[in-house]
Amino acid sequence: MNAIHVMEDVSALISLGKLTSERAFYASLNRALFEIGQRFPRREQETIAHSLPTPLYTLPGAVTVEPHTPLHLTGKGVYAYSLAMYGKGTLTVTVDGVRQEEYRVDAGQSLVLTSHIKADTSAADKLLLSFSSEEKLFVTDLALYATPCEEVPRYRPYYPYPTSRFQHRFLAFSGRIMKNGMPFSNQSGDLRFTEDAVEIAFSKDGIYTVEYEALPDSVDAGTREEELYVREDAKLLVPLLTAYYYALEDGHEMADALLARYEAARNSLTRNRNERVTDVNGW
């Protein structure tokens, strides 16, 4: 089923030879897809290859830098570093005795840095990070990396993978997890969920598979020939609800009858699913 098929079905349901407004049709279709997707979401899996460089050193916690308490950190054989700070103060970066960079933040500003030590990604014999402040500067996290890394990750105890980067539109996590192809109970707390990300303990490498519920993608004239991303058993609802919203927009007298047909089909589908619960993933 694609948008063209739905358009034909909507024309038949409203007894029109041709819909008079494509704009109204696509608005109605996308509204219907979103509503049906929330009630009958598809189950999807996102695979995350979690493998990050092991830090040589990390801050044990946030540090406050004041005029009488500057902070100096040194490291040998460092390839890269990451840090975050806010407040009012200055960071000076010195590599092998040569001052390389100076970064300053003022009150109300923050700075996140993920940087290689040298352009050729070789290690520094000595890295010196010097933090100073005329008032207060807060260094919230910092890591030094002693192994080469193509991309320098910002260090945090749990590294986030945003749901906005998932393959499909995210609705909710199911709570099911696999690690390296096996069901994962997560009793150790290596993985946790937030509203918009899955977070994995920085040092707990593995191939994680996270199950989630996904919403349909929006449709327009450019994607009208693509298969609609709707759960198979819920596809029959799409023309009915789209026709209702289109009729409502157009002031058509059949709107109430179409809504009644949709609700009857939806309730029947809900009853059938409650009577027949299956686990397609085998978890």
Side-chain angles (χ1 to χ4, degrees):
M1 173 187 286
N2 58 32
I4 296 174
H5 300 141
V6 177
M7 186 178 292
E8 293 170 350
D9 290 343
V10 170
S11 297
L13 285 165
I14 305 180
S15 301
L16 296 174
K18 183 179 180 181
L19 299 184
T20 56
S21 172
E22 280 202 8
R23 180 202 61 79
F25 167 73
Y26 285 112
S28 300
L29 173 58
N30 285 316
R31 186 174 178 182
L33 288 172
F34 183 77
E35 185 173 323
I36 293 166
Q38 283 191 309
R39 184 175 288 270
F40 304 102
R42 284 181 60 162
R43 287 285 178 97
E44 290 292 345
Q45 297 174 2
E46 190 73 13
T47 298
I48 301 169
H50 178 68
S51 179
L52 300 171
T54 302
L56 173 70
Y57 171 80
T58 63
L59 277 183
V63 174
T64 303
V65 178
E66 298 184 72
H68 60 284
T69 57
L71 174 65
H72 303 286
L73 294 171
T74 62
K76 293 183 178 181
V78 177
Y79 284 85
Y81 66 91
S82 73
L83 60 89
M85 63 185 192
Y86 70 95
K88 187 172 184 179
T90 301
L91 163 65
T92 302
V93 182
T94 302
V95 178
D96 297 339
V98 179
R99 181 170 166 171
Q100 298 288 326
E101 301 283 353
E102 184 173 284
Y103 302 92
R104 180 171 179 81
V105 292
D106 290 316
Q109 295 181 332
S110 62
L111 176 69
V112 175
L113 283 175
T114 55
S115 179
H116 292 99
I117 298 300
K118 297 181 180 179
D120 61 1
T121 67
S122 59
D125 291 333
K126 184 177 181 181
L127 169 70
L128 172 61
L129 301 177
S130 298
F131 300 85
S132 61
S133 176
E134 306 84 20
E135 297 180 7
K136 283 188 177 182
L137 177 68
F138 304 94
V139 184
T140 56
D141 58 71
L142 183 147
L144 306 180
Y145 298 102
T147 53
C149 45
E150 185 174 342
E151 293 186 16
V152 183
R154 177 183 171 185
Y155 176 79
R156 280 160 284 184
Y158 284 83
Y159 191 80
Y161 293 90
T163 57
S164 59
R165 298 181 185 177
F166 283 12
Q167 185 176 358
H168 298 283
R169 290 174 67 191
F170 173 82
L171 176 62
F173 290 109
S174 73
R176 290 181 169 182
I177 314 162
M178 297 185 77
K179 182 178 180 181
N180 300 329
M182 299 293 293
F184 183 60
S185 66
N186 198 34
Q187 292 181 349
S188 57
D190 292 345
L191 184 147
R192 64 189 187 186
F193 300 107
T194 67
E195 290 185 358
D196 58 0
V198 54
E199 300 183 338
I200 303 174
F202 199 91
S203 61
K204 299 297 184 178
D205 294 355
I207 306 296
Y208 293 83
T209 302
V210 178
E211 187 184 75
Y212 66 102
E213 295 178 344
L215 291 169
D217 298 319
S218 297
V219 183
D220 56 29
T223 58
R224 63 182 183 176
E225 295 185 10
E226 297 180 8
E227 185 73 12
L228 295 180
Y229 184 82
V230 182
R231 210 170 67 192
E232 196 64 34
D233 59 349
K235 285 184 177 179
L236 61 91
L237 301 176
V238 176
L240 290 170
L241 191 57
T242 303
Y244 163 69
Y245 283 129
Y246 187 90
L248 197 64
E249 175 80 12
D250 200 39
H252 199 287
E253 60 184 9
M254 292 185 64
D256 289 344
L258 289 166
L259 179 60
R261 287 183 62 181
Y262 163 73
E263 290 179 340
R266 181 197 65 196
N267 293 338
S268 176
L269 179 58
T270 301
R271 285 195 301 272
N272 289 339
R273 286 194 58 80
N274 289 340
E275 294 170 3
R276 184 178 67 252
V277 178
T278 60
D279 187 347
V280 298
N281 294 304
W283 287 4

